[in-house]
Amino acid sequence: DYMLLLLGLSFVLVCIHFLTKSLAATKFGPVNLPPGPRPFPVIGNILELGNKPHQALAELSKSHGPIMSLKLGSITTIVISSPHVAKEALQTHDQALSGRTILDGVRVQDHHKVSMVWLPALAPWRNLRKVCATQMFTAQRLDATQVAAFTTVMNSVSNTFFSIDLAHYQSALSENFKDLVYSVMEEVGRPNIADYFPILRSVDPQGIRKRATTSIGKLLNIFDGIIHERIQTREKTMSKECKDLLDSLLNLAEENSSELSPAVIKHLFLDLFFAGTDTTSSTVEWAMAELLHNPEKLTKAQTELRQLLGKGGLVQEFDINKLPYLQAVMKETLRLHPPAPFLVPHKAETDVEISSYVVPKTAQILVNVWAMGRDSSLWQNPTSFMPERFIESEIDVKGRDFELIPFGAGRRICPGLPLAQRMVHLMLASLLYTFDWKLAHDLKPEDMDMTEKFGLTLHKSEPPLAVPIKQQESQEHLYS
Ligand code: HEM
């Protein structure tokens, strides 16, 4: 009897084992997930992210490989850290992996239902991308007479879009536009428990959605006001003249064939501001910081500019092509300091096989471009700032060279790339051409704090403090 009982018990245990395994394969995801650190119950691997997740995941991928899987709360997350696997994901399986995991903070005023950043890559999204490609980055000239990062970028963007200096714009509620943008970035960039445990969304445990609702609502109202004011002026003057992006979009909205409406346009502006402002200004900020940290490279960039433009010149867009060192500075800055170190996370729309592992449907995909930029098997002296490495090289940031994809690649590649390149090159050129630079408080370049702060974009933890000085007579030799 005893033996029979033991046999029976073993049979039951074996059954349970196979049952849980098959359940794991069907309900909880396929068994052939990429390798990764063992998750804790409930929280998964959240604690391993720390406050610099891009660095923590780069370190983990050294032991688990270029494609690994983790659990962030209840979200299966796949982390990609090599150009080869990134190419499989963003080129070979571009369509299947082109979804988005929507952050709870942007589910405000149904933004995610009309937003180019958050829509799945289907027809409405395609329409918005087409509008941007054809309307947004056409011949609007940017001039480089203004200096300084965030405010200038915001004004460059807002002038290109609707001919207004938004950084100084006071809304009807007398609230500063710039402060509103900051507060949304802070809320949406804050780690949100509801994103790790979607079951908690309705509770909004940290109040992030509540606060984002207020500030995003105010920003949308500001855009609404600008759009309707323009509609009225156009009606009054009976003009369809296209002086900026807003005019082009309103013209399109009036054509029946387009799915644009003033309501969609205001959400588009919201996206363009959030995707375009902080990313661009942090690139300029890092480029200046690296140049101040490496004064001989700063002089090299200034010499190139001053030799090209002579004295009393003005940097203009068509000069950029003639400034290979400046272009190399931008690439080198984006290699070391990509503003979006994981791109904008993608989502698998179906099960996909990559490098003989399965990326399960609905998994979130992070491409760690920060890790790839510092991989010693891809770059010599990876942590040194050496723009020279790009002088003789064909490598570009446009999504074809997978070792350097700070703008992403494939169908979700940043649509603002041409505008971002123009703004960064022009702002840097004008800062370097017009002034000489000295670190504040007589700080020595080698004593600069170059640490990063992880947030919605990857910033310098302390902004570089430098003093612009009028060019010295002694610098005359720089002009040829
Ligand atoms: C998306 C980088 C500037 C608009 C993205 C993505 C990255 C990126 C990595 C995600 C790509 C992906 O999902 O795989 C950058 C960098 C910039 C910059 C490094 C500056 C240096 C801009 C500017 C604009 C812009 C100036 C527009 C004014 C967008 C939009 C998306 C996007 C709308 C979402 C596209 C979509 O989901 O289909 N950007 N960006 N970006 N970017 Fe940029």
Side-chain angles (χ1 to χ4, degrees):
D1 281 0
Y2 187 62
M3 275 304 280
L4 217 60
L5 190 70
L6 259 182
L7 266 175
L9 202 62
S10 311
F11 180 72
V12 170
L13 281 175
V14 169
C15 283
I16 288 177
H17 176 74
F18 280 108
L19 199 67
T20 43
K21 256 198 139 173
S22 78
L23 265 180
T26 54
K27 189 164 173 220
F28 303 117
V31 261
N32 197 20
L33 279 173
R38 184 182 280 272
F40 286 102
V42 188
I43 57 168
N45 306 93
I46 290 180
L47 295 181
E48 282 166 85
L49 296 182
N51 61 3
K52 291 191 178 140
H54 57 300
Q55 294 182 13
L57 293 181
E59 209 43 51
L60 277 175
S61 72
K62 285 184 189 155
S63 34
H64 297 283
I67 175 161
M68 59 178 181
S69 61
L70 311 115
K71 275 274 185 204
L72 299 181
S74 64
I75 309 287
T76 301
T77 302
I78 307 294
V79 183
I80 292 172
S81 316
S82 82
H84 176 74
V85 184
K87 190 171 179 181
E88 267 193 78
L90 300 174
Q91 186 170 304
T92 318
H93 300 289
D94 183 15
Q95 180 161 15
L97 301 182
S98 63
R100 289 279 192 229
T101 311
I102 300 162
L103 296 176
D104 197 46
V106 300
R107 289 171 194 270
V108 162
Q109 303 223 356
D110 281 348
H111 179 61
H112 60 295
K113 295 190 183 159
V114 287
S115 151
M116 175 163 47
V117 181
W118 303 105
L119 277 170
L122 302 172
W125 167 84
R126 235 185 330 269
N127 187 42
L128 289 167
R129 296 277 308 202
K130 205 168 93 200
V131 166
C132 280
T134 53
Q135 309 295 321
M136 186 159 61
F137 308 121
T138 47
Q140 297 303 332
R141 271 264 140 94
L142 293 171
D143 73 67
T145 48
Q146 288 173 304
V147 216
F150 193 81
T151 305
T152 309
V153 176
M154 186 174 276
N155 282 338
S156 295
V157 172
S158 64
N159 269 300
T160 314
F161 292 173
F162 30 66
S163 320
I164 290 177
D165 272 359
L166 262 189
H168 307 297
Y169 187 85
Q170 298 286 317
S171 74
L173 301 160
S174 173
E175 200 138 2
N176 192 300
F177 183 84
K178 205 159 103 181
D179 294 340
L180 278 175
V181 172
Y182 272 130
S183 72
V184 175
M185 282 193 318
E186 206 172 298
E187 290 308 334
V188 178
R190 210 188 288 279
N192 186 349
I193 294 177
D195 290 329
Y196 297 127
F197 302 100
I199 202 166
L200 296 178
R201 259 186 222 146
S202 55
V203 187
D204 187 21
Q206 292 150 273
I208 289 178
R209 188 151 30 86
K210 184 160 172 273
R211 289 189 297 275
T213 305
T214 312
S215 33
I216 289 183
K218 285 180 184 169
L219 282 174
L220 286 172
N221 279 343
I222 293 179
F223 290 135
D224 215 26
I226 295 173
I227 295 168
H228 281 97
E229 212 171 280
R230 181 68 62 87
I231 292 175
Q232 280 173 1
T233 316
R234 284 160 59 94
E235 277 168 3
K236 237 187 255 159
T237 56
M238 311 250 289
S239 161
K240 287 197 188 278
E241 190 204 350
C242 255
K243 69 172 187 302
D244 52 25
L245 178 67
L246 178 53
D247 278 331
S248 319
L249 295 180
L250 288 174
N251 282 347
L252 271 183
E254 282 165 21
E255 292 167 16
N256 287 338
S257 56
S258 129
E259 287 161 35
L260 279 182
S261 65
V264 173
I265 294 175
K266 75 177 173 191
H267 286 276
L268 179 60
F269 282 138
L270 189 70
D271 276 345
L272 297 178
F273 267 91
F274 281 102
T277 315
D278 207 33
T279 42
T280 307
S281 64
S282 111
T283 307
V284 175
E285 189 177 272
W286 274 115
M288 280 306 286
E290 286 289 3
L291 290 171
L292 290 161
H293 193 49
N294 297 275
E296 73 290 6
K297 318 277 178 202
L298 181 93
T299 310
K300 218 165 158 179
Q302 284 179 320
T303 308
E304 182 189 60
L305 272 157
R306 293 172 186 182
Q307 282 185 346
L308 179 77
L309 298 170
K311 222 174 169 182
L314 179 71
V315 194
Q316 298 195 61
E317 211 176 316
F318 52 76
D319 295 319
I320 297 169
N321 278 339
K322 296 174 245 158
L323 296 163
Y325 197 76
L326 184 79
Q327 293 179 41
V329 166
M330 177 171 175
K331 288 181 191 169
E332 182 68 340
T333 304
L334 289 170
R335 177 185 74 82
L336 280 171
H337 309 289
F342 297 131
L343 306 179
V344 176
H346 287 220
K347 188 180 84 179
E349 300 286 14
T350 55
D351 285 359
V352 171
E353 196 181 302
I354 293 188
S355 302
S356 53
Y357 296 112
V358 174
V359 173
K361 185 176 172 181
T362 75
Q364 161 173 254
I365 295 133
L366 310 181
V367 180
N368 195 343
V369 286
W370 184 91
M372 282 152 52
R374 289 167 185 246
D375 184 335
S376 56
S377 69
L378 301 169
W379 310 96
Q380 272 182 9
N381 301 326
T383 53
S384 304
F385 183 76
M386 298 191 326
E388 292 72 14
R389 69 176 88 236
F390 289 111
I391 292 292
E392 295 296 325
S393 133
E394 296 281 297
I395 294 180
D396 205 348
V397 289
K398 295 189 176 142
R400 289 184 302 265
D401 306 305
F402 282 81
E403 59 272 58
L404 189 67
I405 49 167
F407 293 94
R411 68 190 60 206
R412 282 224 102 123
I413 192 173
C414 173
L417 194 156
L419 181 60
Q421 279 196 314
R422 275 155 53 185
M423 287 195 288
V424 172
H425 285 136
L426 281 178
M427 263 184 285
L428 259 183
S430 117
L431 289 168
L432 297 171
Y433 173 70
T434 320
F435 301 107
D436 289 325
W437 292 89
K438 178 166 101 51
L439 283 169
H441 314 303
D442 290 325
L443 189 73
K444 292 201 186 77
E446 58 274 25
D447 293 337
M448 279 175 75
D449 175 2
M450 301 294 281
T451 48
E452 304 165 321
K453 189 167 139 209
F454 187 85
L456 204 55
T457 52
L458 196 59
H459 267 278
K460 220 174 147 291
S461 69
E462 295 296 331
L465 275 185
V467 186
I469 31 180
K470 256 184 96 183
Q471 288 163 44
Q472 308 290 312
E473 292 287 307
S474 61
Q475 301 282 311
E476 294 268 318
H477 66 279
L478 289 179
Y479 300 98
S480 61

